[in-house]
Amino acid sequence: MIMDRRTLSLSVFAGLVGGPALARAPKGPAPFGATPSVRQYDWQRLETYGFMHYTMNAFTDREWGYGDEPVSLFNPTDFSADQIVLAARSGGLKGIILTAKHHDGFCLWPSRYTEHSVKFSPYKDGKGDIVGEMAEACRKHGLKFGVYLSPWDRNHAEYGRPAYVEYYHNQLEELTTQYGPLFEVWFDGANGGDGYYGGARERRKIDALTYYGWDTVRAIVRKNQPHAVMFADEHMDVRWVGNEHGQAGDPCWPTVDETPYTMAKGNAGVRGGKIWNPAETNTSIRPGWFWHADESPRTPANLTRVYFESVGRGTTLLLNLAPDRRGRVPDADVASLTGWKAILDKTFARNLATGAKVTASSTYGEGFGPAQALKSNAFWAARTSDKAGAWIRFDLPKAQTFDVIRTAEDIRKGVRVDDFAIDILENGRWRPLQTHTYIGYKRLTRLSAPVTTRAVRIRILKAAASPILGDFGLFLMPPVLEEPTIKRDRAGRVSLSAAETDVRLFYTLDGSAPTTASTPFSAPFPLPEGGQVRAVAFSPARKVLSAASVAQFDVAPVGWRMVSASSDTPNALLDGKGFVGRKGQPAELVLDLGKVYDLKGFTLTPGVQDIYLDVNTVAQMGAPAGYVASVSADGQTFTPAGEGEFSNIANSRSEQRIRFDAPHKGRYLKLVLPRAVQDKPTVAFSGVGIITR
C-alpha cells in the first residue's frame, strides 16, 4: 500500500518510479545526482505528443460527466481513428494518450467487467472498440500509443469500497495487455466527490494515497508494460507541471525531494532533489479538454509560444485534441496544428552554427572535445574541476542572424549546470545577451528580436558539477506574430496588448475580419453592454500580420450593487478584489444588476491567489465546487434557475460559463456556493458575471 511521501524511504521510492535500469550514457565524467531510467529518457526524447479527450462529454457538452449518462448517448456519426492520428501527426506529435475511461466511468473499450461501455452503445451496434481502433491507427501511422484510466469513477456503485479497487485493477490489466505496447499510462489526480454511483447520488470521499492500491497499480503496469512511464502528481515516473495552461516553470528542474507534491513544486521541481521525476506540461488546443461547439482552437503562433514555454524549458508537451461528435478533429484544429508544425519545421530546418570552430575552457578527454557540442546526441565535457567559469565558444564561418539558441545537457549524466549566460561578439567585444537558470534536456532561448554576430559563447556562472553540453544550435524563426490579448475591465473598458513591442494593433466591433485598414487601437474604449471584439497585430518592420484574436463580452458589472453577501468584505467582489466567504460556512450572495435582463446563465472566475498574497491565507481558500443559482425580478421572490458543479475548477483558473436550461428574466441574481473544492474551509473566487447572449 502506498505511503505518504513524507514517510516513504528514498530507496523504496526510487525503485518504484525509476526502476533498476538507468539510461546508458557515453563513458566520461561520472554522473552527478539523480539520473533518468531508460523509460524516462526515451519518453523525454519524444518531446511532443497528444492527449485525446473523447467520451460522453462530447455529446453532453460537459467537462466532467456525472456518471448517470445513458450509454445510448455515445454514438459518433463518423468516427475515424485514422483522421485523428493524422491530425496529431500534422502537428508533429509523436504519440497519443487516449482517455479510455474518464470520471463518468464510461469505457471506450468492451470491458468484460461493466455494462457501462461502448459495447452497449449504438456505436457500431456495440461491436466497436475505440481503444483498439486508436491503437491500430497509431501503429499504422507511426505514432506511439498510451492510455488514460481515471481512478475516480462516478458511475460505479462500489466506488469508495474495496470492490471498486478490484474492478479498477482488472480494467488496468485489460488495457495493459490487449492493445500492444504503451508508452505512457496516465492516472488523473481528480479523486472522490459527488457522483451517480449506481443510483446512490451522493458524495463519497476516499484517501487517494491509500485507496487505489497504488503498489498493485504499479506492479500491473511494470509487469505488462515495462517500458511505459506512469503519470500522476507523485509516486510515478512523471509529474504534473502544476497548471493546465501549457507553461512550465523557468526553471523547471526534473528532480524532486521526498516532501509531498504541491502545484508550485510541480511547476518548478527541486534543484538537487534525489528523485528523478520530470514534469509533463499538459494543455489543450481548445479552452476545454472536451469538444464544445462554441470554442475555437489555439492559433499556430500561440502553439509556438506554448512549445517554447514547455519543450523549450526542458519538459515534454502533452497537447490535447478534442474530437467532435462526428469522431473527428475539427478542420480548424487541424489547420492550427499544420500551421504550428510549419513554423517549427522552418525554424529548425537549418542550424546556422554548422561549421563553426569550437573552443572551450577545458576538455575532459578524447570523445568529449568542444566540436562534439555541435553533433546530435554528442556532448562536450569540461574537466571535472572546471565548473563555474567554464565556457564554450562558437566562431561561425560567417556572420549569422538568428533569434533562437539551443543547448542541452546530457541528462544521463545528471543535471549539472545551475546558471549560465549567452554572449555574442559585437564590435570586437562580448555583449551579454541573456542569462538563465537550468539547461536540462533542452533549453531553447527565444530572443525578442534577431541578432547578428560571428561568434557566440556560453558561460557557466554556477554549476554543481563540470558541464556536459551538446546539441548546440542557432536558428532564425520565420516571421511570426502572436495575436493580441483582448481584455475588459470592470468599468467596461476594452484594452488590447501584444507580446511584441514593434507592432500596431487594429480591431473591429462588427464581426468583420480585422486588417490594417480597420480601427487602430490607441487607448481603452468603452463596451459596457458587451459585444464581439476582433483584433490583429501588425509589424511594420517585418511586414507580418498576426492571426485574429476574438473576445466575446457580455454585460459589464457597471452599476451593479451587492445586496447581501456572506463575507466580511461584501463589496470587494464588485471592486475587483474578489470574494472571500466566511470560514466553515457556505457562501451566499445576491447581486442587483441594475435593470432586468433575460438571464441565460452566469460566469464565475476562480483565482484566489490573485486576491491574497499571504501563502497561509490562500492555503485556506478554495474555488466553489458547486452552485445553486436563482433569479428574481423584485429581489424578494427568487425562482430556481440552475444547480450543478464547476468542472475541473480546482486545477483550471479559466472562467466557468454556466448556462441555464432556460432563460429567466430578472434583475437580481442569487448564488449559493455550498462548499469549496478539496475540502478547503473558505470559499473564494475572483469574479462573477452574467450571460445574456
Side-chain angles (χ1 to χ4, degrees), residues 24-75:
R24 290 182 289 276
K27 292 182 179 180
F32 172 81
T35 57
S37 67
V38 172
R39 58 178 163 262
Q40 288 172 319
Y41 183 70
D42 289 345
W43 162 87
Q44 182 83 59
R45 296 175 70 187
L46 293 175
E47 298 188 2
T48 61
Y49 44 95
F51 231 165
M52 177 180 159
H53 274 64
Y54 191 63
T55 186
M56 284 289 187
N57 296 340
F59 301 90
T60 61
D61 202 28
R62 293 178 178 175
E63 280 291 291
W64 283 5
Y66 190 71
D68 59 353
E69 300 81 8
V71 294
S72 58
L73 286 178
F74 188 80
N75 190 21

Side-chain angles (χ1 to χ4, degrees), residues 21 175 203 253 269 378 416 425-427 440 457 487 491 568 657 679:
L175 289 173
R203 186 171 183 236
W253 303 101
R416 309 168 78 87
L425 197 62
E426 192 172 80
N427 299 322
R457 182 177 66 178
K487 291 185 177 181
D568 294 332
R657 297 182 60 81
D679 294 322

Side-chain angles (χ1 to χ4, degrees), residues 346-347 350-353 396 398-405 424 433 447 449-456 473-478 542:
K346 288 181 181 178
T347 298
R350 183 184 172 207
N351 186 350
L352 301 174
L396 310 176
K398 63 177 183 179
Q400 296 285 8
T401 300
F402 56 88
D403 53 11
V404 174
I405 304 158
I424 60 172
L433 200 60
L447 306 178
V451 296
T452 302
T453 188
R454 284 286 304 268
V456 180
L474 303 172
F475 306 95
L476 181 64
M477 293 187 67
R542 290 177 277 171

Side-chain angles (χ1 to χ4, degrees), residues 32 43 64 128 180 220 289 337 387 403-404 462 496 503 511 622 648:
F32 172 81
W43 162 87
W64 283 5
I220 291 170
W289 290 98
L337 290 164
K387 298 179 185 178
D403 53 11
V404 174
K462 180 182 178 183
L496 310 181
V503 299
N648 199 28

Side-chain angles (χ1 to χ4, degrees), residues 1-10 12-13 209 235 258-260:
M1 190 169 289
I2 195 167
M3 293 178 284
D4 189 291
R5 181 170 286 177
R6 288 167 290 190
T7 60
L8 189 67
S9 73
L10 177 61
V12 170
F13 183 69
L209 286 174
H235 301 306
E258 295 177 273
T259 60

Side-chain angles (χ1 to χ4, degrees), residues 446-503:
R446 184 179 180 183
L447 306 178
S448 58
V451 296
T452 302
T453 188
R454 284 286 304 268
V456 180
R457 182 177 66 178
I458 305 293
R459 285 183 293 122
I460 307 304
L461 304 178
K462 180 182 178 183
S466 56
I468 303 176
L469 304 181
D471 202 24
F472 183 81
L474 303 172
F475 306 95
L476 181 64
M477 293 187 67
V480 176
L481 273 184
E482 190 170 354
E483 62 276 11
T485 299
I486 307 173
K487 291 185 177 181
R488 188 181 67 170
D489 63 20
R490 302 191 65 78
R493 295 184 300 265
V494 176
S495 60
L496 310 181
S497 61
E500 294 85 356
T501 57
D502 63 332
V503 299

Side-chain angles (χ1 to χ4, degrees), residues 4 47 54 71 165-166 179 196 355 445 592 650 672-673 677 683 687:
D4 189 291
E47 298 188 2
Y54 191 63
V71 294
V165 178
E166 181 180 356
Y179 297 102
Y196 174 69
T445 299
D592 178 357
V672 178
L673 311 167
V677 296
V683 173

Side-chain angles (χ1 to χ4, degrees), residues 579-635:
F579 180 94
V580 177
R582 296 191 176 103
K583 187 175 181 179
Q585 298 180 21
E588 183 175 317
L589 62 148
V590 177
L591 287 169
D592 178 357
L593 308 176
K595 64 179 183 180
V596 174
Y597 289 100
D598 197 21
L599 294 173
K600 297 181 179 179
F602 71 95
T603 66
L604 185 139
T605 307
V608 295
Q609 290 87 344
D610 296 336
I611 306 169
Y612 292 93
L613 300 180
D614 178 73
V615 175
N616 294 326
T617 302
V618 170
Q620 299 296 307
M621 299 178 185
Y627 65 90
V628 178
S630 53
V631 174
S632 172
D634 59 7

